[in-house]
Amino acid sequence: MISTTHGLILAAVLFALGLTGLLARRDVIFVLMSIEIMMNAAGLAFVVAGARWGRPDGQVMFLFILATAAAEVSVGLALILALFRRARTLDVDAANRMRG
Amino acid sequence: MQDLLWLVPGLPLLGFLVLSLAGGRLSRPAMAAVGTGSVGASAMVATLVALGFHEPFRQVLWEWMRVGEFAPTIGFRLDALSLVMILVITWVGFLIHAYSCAFMAGDAGYRRFFAIMNLFVAAMLTLVLADNLLFLYLGWEGVGLCSYLLIGFWYQDPANGRAARKAFIVTRVGDTAFAIGLFFLIAQVGTLDIEEAMTRAGSISAATAAALLLGGAVGKSAQIPLQVWLPDAMAGPTPVSALIHAATMVTAGVYLIARTQALFALAPVVQTMVAVIGAATLLLGGIGALAQRDIKRVLAYSTMSQIGLMFLALGLGAWPAAIFHFMTHAFFKALLFLAAGSVTLSLHHEHDIFRMGGLWKSLPISFATFLIGAASLSGMPFVTAGFFSKESILGSAWERGVGWWSVALVGVLLTSLYIFRVVFIVFFGEAKTSVAPRRDVLLTLPMVALAILALVGGWIPIPVGVFEPHVGVASVVSMAGIVIAWSLRAPLAFPGVDFDGLYERAFVRPFLRLANAVGRDPADAVSFGPAWAAATAHRLASATQTGSLRWYAAGIVFGGVVLLAVVLWW
């Protein structure tokens, strides 16, 4: 039996890793993957909380997150393709033409 | 008949409204017909009214406004003085309009031209017919506005716009004095009705009121020290110059003083000032006219000088003589301008008299009419109108003292000198330019009509007074002027009197410096402060829009952390 605390710590570590990747990575595919990691960290937190109180809500929420992640990946990959066609690169910093 | 009086200013106003509101749909001949016809119809009505004129009367249309006791009306008053004025304004105005149909043919602003000319005539007629000073002031300002619009008629050239602004601002100086004079009269007399104000004027300090009205008259009539706008006003089309100089605008000051002469009679000091200003302008205008090369500028200085002669007569109390001279001056000055316009039109808009010459053969009608105008201006005995009016002014000057008379005599000499100098330079000698004569019956007929008036106008009985013609020294002097003019055909080297440069140094530059100095005072912080704050905030907010995706993500994370912290620890 894994304690709730351990599960939440794992979720927090995963979320922090994903956030770091999001802020530090310049390759747009890695940015997308970091977002996936963060979403799964959130899903893990839901599952752990559901197990803590013995209710199915947490797992239902995780299924929702999986569906959202699938939709997000399809839109995200389309955006990446569009970016590549326009800029001929996958560097997010290249897409900075909308400066104020 | 007399009930039709309101139509005299009403018809040109109607012409203005038709041309400006519906004129876009009219063909060009229709525009000219409306513009000229309205003034022509107004001249007809004025003649009808004049034929039935027995005694002064008023026609009040409605009450303009009422503030306590002060209730100016929209009303007209016709007496001998305004009768002479409206006849001259409408008939001379009509001839100038007819001339303009041909002169302005082909100009892109045909409709605008006739619309403003009609408004100009309407404003001037309002000025001379108004029964109270406030209504008169409306016409007065209307005349100022129209002169601005017409002097700057060819506004594509910035110099013309500058001349128009100069005319407007300089006359504004006089108008301000006039407006203060009106306030003063309301405060002292309690009414602006001209008749009542004149009868009650004895009880107040007439000198102040008269001096303020004189300020307005000096500005409008281009007398020293506010004469600088008139030569620059030549930037407008020639018919405009003719209208400004002969029938409208500059004679408004003469009319104002003649109209309020009861007030001036109560203030002998101010009246003497009128005579002094008139005498100074008479001489300086004549000297200035000798120094000019532009044919229209010679005529402008000539007008200044002749209005000075009228002011001299007014200042000596001989207002009927001044009005008589106004009438003959309107004939021959309009004629001179129209003839000069036909000359420049045939010479591809050449204005420099020293590039003309020998034109009497190629432009016989222009030569004949200009010669008649010049003869009338210099007062040829018996055969010209100018002789009678000049003699009547000189006669009244003689009665007031030999000093005034000799000043007027020097003016007469200068007049025949500068105008016949122009005649000799332009029409005699050898030809210097190629001439392409413009023959148009609409150009010729008004000139011939005015030439006849300039010859026989002196015999017209006018109801302001009876004038006995007699040949005096003045005729000899003006003949002598013609002889001297023949020997003065070369360009003269002296520059005239540089009032423009003087005013530039004395008023314009100090004013600009002052405006620059007070333009940045602390009081502006109230209005500039919020603007500065908004601009700075905008710059800061705009700096966060780096366009970098990762900075935005970091911003979202930072905001999320802050919000979480607030929720957890609040």
Side-chain angles (χ1 to χ4, degrees):
Chain A
M1 183 69 193
I2 301 161
S3 74
T4 309
T5 317
H6 285 106
L8 285 180
I9 287 172
L10 178 60
V13 167
L14 279 175
F15 191 86
L17 275 174
L19 186 60
T20 314
L22 172 67
L23 293 181
R25 282 285 184 172
R26 291 174 65 183
D27 191 323
V28 71
I29 291 180
F30 279 94
V31 170
L32 201 63
M33 282 166 67
S34 304
I35 293 171
E36 287 300 313
I37 291 173
M38 286 162 73
M39 289 185 100
N40 280 299
L44 180 61
F46 273 114
V47 171
V48 169
R52 164 73 177 73
W53 282 290
R55 297 175 63 115
D57 309 30
Q59 294 176 34
V60 170
M61 283 309 292
F62 183 63
L63 285 177
F64 268 126
I65 288 172
L66 277 185
T68 315
E72 179 252 317
V73 163
S74 65
V75 174
L77 284 174
L79 282 174
I80 288 170
L81 276 177
L83 172 70
F84 185 73
R85 273 194 200 144
R86 190 175 281 263
R88 288 281 139 199
T89 174
L90 288 176
D91 186 351
V92 277
D93 288 352
N96 64 350
R97 290 228 308 253
M98 280 180 68
R99 273 195 294 267
Chain B
M1 283 310 154
Q2 313 288 307
D3 297 339
L4 295 176
L5 183 61
W6 64 277
L7 281 173
V8 174
L11 282 168
L13 186 66
L14 183 71
F16 161 71
L17 289 176
V18 169
L19 283 170
S20 55
L21 297 179
R25 282 175 222 148
L26 298 175
S27 63
R28 287 173 81 88
M31 287 174 198
V34 172
T36 313
S38 64
V39 181
S42 170
M44 292 293 196
V45 174
T47 313
L48 282 178
V49 172
L51 290 177
F53 178 78
H54 300 298
E55 54 192 10
F57 68 97
R58 281 174 80 152
Q59 184 183 31
V60 176
L61 296 183
W62 63 81
E63 189 177 80
W64 191 354
M65 58 180 109
R66 177 173 280 282
V67 184
E69 288 295 296
F70 175 61
T73 59
I74 300 284
F76 304 112
R77 182 169 189 282
L78 190 72
D79 58 6
L81 173 59
S82 42
L83 185 68
V84 175
M85 297 293 292
I86 62 169
L87 285 174
V88 172
I89 292 165
T90 51
W91 280 111
V92 175
F94 168 66
L95 292 172
I96 294 171
H97 272 75
Y99 178 88
S100 315
C101 297
F103 189 89
M104 298 301 286
D107 194 283
Y110 208 54
R111 172 167 73 104
R112 184 162 56 96
F113 180 81
F114 278 109
I116 306 172
M117 289 280 273
N118 274 0
L119 186 63
F120 205 164
V121 173
M124 189 65 193
L125 288 167
T126 308
L127 198 165
V128 298
L129 281 173
D131 71 342
N132 64 78
L133 284 168
L134 193 66
F135 196 31
L136 188 152
Y137 190 67
L138 180 75
W140 188 272
E141 291 298 335
V143 167
L145 169 71
C146 292
S147 68
Y148 165 76
L149 291 171
L150 286 170
I151 293 167
F153 182 75
W154 288 317
Y155 57 85
Q156 291 87 346
D157 183 353
N160 295 345
R162 195 171 178 282
R165 283 197 301 280
K166 186 172 175 185
F168 197 68
I169 292 166
V170 173
T171 53
R172 189 80 0 196
V173 176
D175 292 357
T176 309
F178 187 19
I180 296 171
L182 294 189
F183 302 148
F184 182 79
L185 274 175
I186 295 174
Q188 296 283 316
V189 190
T191 179
L192 284 182
D193 186 277
I194 295 171
E195 261 185 300
E196 269 186 63
M198 288 308 115
T199 49
R200 288 195 226 160
S203 57
I204 58 161
S205 85
T208 315
L212 287 166
L213 294 189
L214 174 61
V218 161
K220 219 38 139 204
S221 290
Q223 298 295 293
I224 288 173
L226 295 179
Q227 85 289 20
V228 286
W229 65 270
L230 196 62
D232 289 289
M234 294 300 106
T238 305
V240 173
S241 310
L243 196 61
I244 287 180
H245 288 246
T248 60
M249 186 84 181
V250 292
T251 52
V254 179
Y255 170 77
L256 181 69
I257 294 179
R259 173 56 81 204
T260 55
Q261 21 112 10
L263 204 59
F264 282 86
L266 289 168
V269 180
V270 184
Q271 193 156 29
T272 313
M273 216 155 81
V274 176
V276 171
I277 289 173
T281 317
L282 170 66
L283 298 183
L284 271 175
I287 294 168
L290 277 174
Q292 302 304 316
R293 296 177 68 99
D294 184 326
I295 187 167
K296 280 178 75 186
R297 285 178 82 95
V298 175
L299 295 178
Y301 276 96
S302 159
T303 301
M304 211 189 270
S305 160
Q306 292 302 304
I307 303 274
L309 189 61
M310 295 179 213
F311 265 59
L312 178 62
L314 289 169
L316 300 176
W319 70 269
I323 293 302
F324 188 31
H325 192 57
F326 151 74
M327 183 181 80
T328 57
H329 175 259
F331 297 149
F332 60 69
K333 190 50 65 69
L335 172 63
L336 284 170
F337 267 112
L338 298 192
S342 75
V343 168
T344 55
L345 209 55
S346 304
L347 293 179
H348 316 289
H349 294 281
E350 176 61 65
H351 280 213
D352 189 342
I353 51 175
F354 293 108
R355 295 206 200 130
M356 305 171 182
L359 294 176
W360 69 274
K361 213 181 252 172
S362 45
L363 299 171
I365 296 174
S366 300
F367 167 61
T369 49
F370 197 92
L371 187 66
I372 291 170
S376 196
L377 172 61
S378 50
M380 287 286 147
F382 292 119
V383 291
T384 64
F387 162 71
F388 296 96
S389 54
K390 258 192 191 169
E391 278 300 332
S392 61
I393 290 181
L394 280 161
S396 43
W398 177 256
E399 287 165 23
R400 296 300 186 289
V402 75
W404 295 118
W405 178 77
S406 38
V407 168
L409 209 58
V410 175
V412 170
L413 176 70
L414 283 171
T415 306
S416 63
L417 196 57
Y418 66 70
I419 197 66
F420 272 93
R421 183 166 167 265
V422 171
V423 170
F424 293 145
I425 292 169
V426 171
F427 293 102
F428 293 94
E430 75 267 29
K432 291 173 191 160
T433 38
S434 65
V435 186
R438 267 282 295 274
R439 288 190 216 291
D440 193 324
V441 71
L442 273 176
L443 287 179
T444 318
L445 268 187
M447 278 155 59
V448 171
L450 281 169
I452 295 169
L453 283 172
L455 288 178
V456 304
W459 300 102
I460 297 175
I462 66 167
V464 290
V466 180
F467 303 99
E468 293 290 327
H470 55 275
V471 182
V473 189
S475 307
V476 181
V477 166
S478 87
M479 297 291 193
I482 297 171
V483 175
I484 302 171
W486 179 255
S487 58
L488 278 182
R489 280 165 298 155
L492 295 175
F494 76 101
V497 185
D498 186 19
F499 275 94
D500 278 338
L502 184 68
Y503 287 178
E504 177 81 24
R505 275 191 293 281
F507 298 111
V508 177
R509 280 188 215 154
F511 180 79
L512 287 178
R513 268 203 293 279
L514 185 69
N516 274 329
V518 299
R520 285 186 283 271
D521 59 47
D524 288 340
V526 178
S527 52
F528 289 153
W532 177 85
T536 310
H538 167 255
R539 239 192 337 272
L540 288 175
S542 151
T544 65
Q545 301 281 314
T546 57
S548 162
L549 183 67
R550 297 186 301 148
W551 275 106
Y552 294 166
I556 293 170
V557 169
F558 180 72
V561 169
V562 169
L563 271 180
L564 206 62
V566 168
V567 169
L568 286 181
W569 279 293
W570 200 258

